[in-house]
Amino acid sequence: MTCSFFFRIVLIFQHRRLLLALSESPPAPQNIHVDNWLLTWTPASEGDTTYTVQYSRFNNRKWTNVSSCVHISSNSCNVTSTKAEAEHGCVRLRVRAERRGLPSPPVEACSRHGDTCTPDLSLMPGPGSLTVYLTMNHSLAQEYGRHAKYRVYYGKEGEPLLKYEDAEASVTISELQEGQRYCVQVQYRYFKSSIGLPTCTQCELIPESKKDSNQTVILVVGPIMVPVLLIPLIAYFLICKSERIKQWLRPPYELPEDFLESFPEHHLPISSSSPTEECWDVISSISPQE
Ligand SMILES: *[C@@H]1O[C@H](CO)[C@@H](O)[C@H](O)[C@H]1NC(C)=O
Ligand SMILES: *[C@@H]1O[C@H](CO)[C@@H](O)[C@H](O)[C@H]1NC(C)=O
Ligand SMILES: *[C@@H]1O[C@H](CO)[C@@H](O)[C@H](O)[C@H]1NC(C)=O
């Protein structure tokens, strides 16, 4: 009884696993970018995957299929035809994979080069901050004035770029974690719509601030350097200048005139310095008084 029950459970699990494998969506396409109106992406490892490319016009939330790239098995699409579809040729593009009738989530394409519809940016990291240099004099600004802005998406490398700042020109993102890599993606905005392709993700390492590294040097090197410098100095004084120290410490005292006469001849106080202790000021000749 228990044995057949156990086997039934195993069979149900195997069946579910098979169904899940069959009903699994294909992985979303990756590294989708445009170069000179040719859209390319990383192909899936499984052969029976097809791709469909869609575009969206500026100020239009609807996505339309690029007619020459519906259910294609290659990993590129000539999107020159979309240029005529939109003002300034500013379209957004996305690709979705499909396998056995099941689609992947769509992924938007990015552009590696700035042009009329994609911002041109450069990044300058600073201690705890990242400055995104953007020009105020871009072609969309000339067309739409100050309503054309930049949306600067940012986040830690490997994480989705969820935070953003809207700017008319260059912007500095501050309070970033030092020693961490941050990534940035910029897209044009017009009122409440995104226009054109965003830039492909660019990442930079946020350096540690100089002040902190100096403090580290003092904190680490200080305790090492103090004994290194002090010990020889103290040793030098103790070994070589002990006579001087003794002289400095000696209270000023004048010998009485009859001091030496009060001793018998063989009890004269003579320096006990040994010749091996070279640093000492050796008294070379003492002539006992007759
Ligand atoms: C676009 O292509 C998809 C196939 O990926 C299809 O299901 C859909 O009906 C097409 N849309 C239009 C408007 O032709
Ligand atoms: C894309 O198609 C256009 C015509 O629609 C053609 O002039 C152009 O050379 C094609 N580009 C590539 C890379 O095949
Ligand atoms: C802005 O760009 C236009 C051409 O796109 C150029 O003629 C003009 O000199 C530029 N102005 C500035 C201030 O850079």
mmCIF file of all heavy atoms in Angstrom, residues 13 69 75 120 137 178 190 215 228 239 269 274 281:
data_model
loop_
_atom_site.group_PDB
_atom_site.id
_atom_site.type_symbol
_atom_site.label_atom_id
_atom_site.label_comp_id
_atom_site.label_asym_id
_atom_site.label_seq_id
_atom_site.Cartn_x
_atom_site.Cartn_y
_atom_site.Cartn_z
ATOM 1 N N PHE A 13 5.115 13.911 -9.547
ATOM 2 C CA PHE A 13 6.183 14.917 -9.594
ATOM 3 C C PHE A 13 6.895 14.920 -10.939
ATOM 4 O O PHE A 13 7.168 15.972 -11.509
ATOM 5 C CB PHE A 13 7.189 14.683 -8.453
ATOM 6 C CG PHE A 13 6.845 15.481 -7.229
ATOM 7 C CD1 PHE A 13 6.110 14.928 -6.202
ATOM 8 C CD2 PHE A 13 7.246 16.807 -7.134
ATOM 9 C CE1 PHE A 13 5.773 15.671 -5.091
ATOM 10 C CE2 PHE A 13 6.918 17.564 -6.020
ATOM 11 C CZ PHE A 13 6.166 16.986 -4.980
ATOM 12 N N CYS A 69 10.958 41.252 -39.614
ATOM 13 C CA CYS A 69 11.607 40.519 -38.512
ATOM 14 C C CYS A 69 10.577 39.923 -37.548
ATOM 15 O O CYS A 69 10.655 40.127 -36.327
ATOM 16 C CB CYS A 69 12.574 41.423 -37.760
ATOM 17 S SG CYS A 69 13.824 42.195 -38.793
ATOM 18 N N ASN A 75 19.884 36.139 -35.566
ATOM 19 C CA ASN A 75 20.017 37.019 -34.400
ATOM 20 C C ASN A 75 20.305 38.464 -34.791
ATOM 21 O O ASN A 75 20.975 39.187 -34.065
ATOM 22 C CB ASN A 75 21.089 36.491 -33.444
ATOM 23 C CG ASN A 75 22.462 36.557 -34.055
ATOM 24 O OD1 ASN A 75 22.622 36.208 -35.220
ATOM 25 N ND2 ASN A 75 23.436 37.027 -33.298
ATOM 26 N N ASP A 120 24.708 61.425 -26.012
ATOM 27 C CA ASP A 120 26.155 61.197 -25.990
ATOM 28 C C ASP A 120 26.594 61.534 -24.573
ATOM 29 O O ASP A 120 26.342 62.634 -24.108
ATOM 30 C CB ASP A 120 26.815 62.184 -26.970
ATOM 31 C CG ASP A 120 27.866 61.501 -27.808
ATOM 32 O OD1 ASP A 120 28.299 60.400 -27.422
ATOM 33 O OD2 ASP A 120 28.251 62.081 -28.831
ATOM 34 N N ASN A 137 23.232 71.249 -25.650
ATOM 35 C CA ASN A 137 23.029 71.643 -27.047
ATOM 36 C C ASN A 137 22.872 70.398 -27.930
ATOM 37 O O ASN A 137 23.671 70.146 -28.805
ATOM 38 C CB ASN A 137 24.243 72.494 -27.478
ATOM 39 C CG ASN A 137 24.045 73.085 -28.853
ATOM 40 O OD1 ASN A 137 22.933 73.176 -29.333
ATOM 41 N ND2 ASN A 137 25.150 73.452 -29.490
ATOM 42 N N GLU A 178 31.616 53.941 -1.954
ATOM 43 C CA GLU A 178 32.984 53.959 -2.475
ATOM 44 C C GLU A 178 33.518 52.544 -2.649
ATOM 45 O O GLU A 178 33.176 51.662 -1.859
ATOM 46 C CB GLU A 178 33.880 54.771 -1.534
ATOM 47 C CG GLU A 178 33.496 56.239 -1.541
ATOM 48 C CD GLU A 178 34.285 57.064 -0.543
ATOM 49 O OE1 GLU A 178 35.201 56.519 0.092
ATOM 50 O OE2 GLU A 178 33.988 58.252 -0.424
ATOM 51 N N TYR A 190 10.758 63.456 -23.451
ATOM 52 C CA TYR A 190 10.004 64.621 -23.890
ATOM 53 C C TYR A 190 8.671 64.576 -23.163
ATOM 54 O O TYR A 190 7.891 63.637 -23.358
ATOM 55 C CB TYR A 190 9.815 64.599 -25.412
ATOM 56 C CG TYR A 190 9.014 65.771 -25.913
ATOM 57 C CD1 TYR A 190 9.493 67.071 -25.782
ATOM 58 C CD2 TYR A 190 7.770 65.577 -26.516
ATOM 59 C CE1 TYR A 190 8.751 68.150 -26.229
ATOM 60 C CE2 TYR A 190 7.026 66.647 -26.974
ATOM 61 C CZ TYR A 190 7.515 67.942 -26.824
ATOM 62 O OH TYR A 190 6.771 69.012 -27.261
ATOM 63 N N GLN A 215 44.201 58.899 6.039
ATOM 64 C CA GLN A 215 43.988 58.498 7.424
ATOM 65 C C GLN A 215 44.421 57.049 7.617
ATOM 66 O O GLN A 215 45.012 56.716 8.627
ATOM 67 C CB GLN A 215 42.505 58.661 7.790
ATOM 68 C CG GLN A 215 42.185 60.097 8.190
ATOM 69 C CD GLN A 215 40.709 60.320 8.393
ATOM 70 O OE1 GLN A 215 39.905 59.431 8.162
ATOM 71 N NE2 GLN A 215 40.358 61.510 8.814
ATOM 72 N N VAL A 228 59.806 52.275 15.499
ATOM 73 C CA VAL A 228 60.962 52.128 14.611
ATOM 74 C C VAL A 228 61.912 53.319 14.783
ATOM 75 O O VAL A 228 63.124 53.171 14.788
ATOM 76 C CB VAL A 228 60.494 51.981 13.144
ATOM 77 C CG1 VAL A 228 61.616 52.281 12.164
ATOM 78 C CG2 VAL A 228 59.928 50.592 12.913
ATOM 79 N N ILE A 239 73.044 54.112 25.483
ATOM 80 C CA ILE A 239 74.349 53.454 25.366
ATOM 81 C C ILE A 239 75.468 54.487 25.254
ATOM 82 O O ILE A 239 76.464 54.444 25.989
ATOM 83 C CB ILE A 239 74.381 52.507 24.151
ATOM 84 C CG1 ILE A 239 73.378 51.363 24.382
ATOM 85 C CG2 ILE A 239 75.790 51.956 23.904
ATOM 86 C CD1 ILE A 239 73.059 50.576 23.144
ATOM 87 N N PRO A 269 89.370 58.090 43.660
ATOM 88 C CA PRO A 269 88.249 57.743 42.764
ATOM 89 C C PRO A 269 88.657 57.933 41.305
ATOM 90 O O PRO A 269 88.884 59.038 40.856
ATOM 91 C CB PRO A 269 87.138 58.725 43.153
ATOM 92 C CG PRO A 269 87.829 59.860 43.812
ATOM 93 C CD PRO A 269 89.160 59.404 44.305
ATOM 94 N N SER A 274 85.559 51.193 30.630
ATOM 95 C CA SER A 274 86.357 50.167 29.960
ATOM 96 C C SER A 274 86.588 50.618 28.527
ATOM 97 O O SER A 274 85.748 51.317 27.947
ATOM 98 C CB SER A 274 85.615 48.831 29.987
ATOM 99 O OG SER A 274 84.630 48.806 28.987
ATOM 100 N N ASP A 281 83.010 59.134 26.702
ATOM 101 C CA ASP A 281 84.107 60.100 26.735
ATOM 102 C C ASP A 281 85.109 59.593 27.771
ATOM 103 O O ASP A 281 84.938 59.751 28.977
ATOM 104 C CB ASP A 281 83.573 61.477 27.171
ATOM 105 C CG ASP A 281 82.573 61.999 26.164
ATOM 106 O OD1 ASP A 281 82.693 61.635 24.966
ATOM 107 O OD2 ASP A 281 81.669 62.761 26.563
#
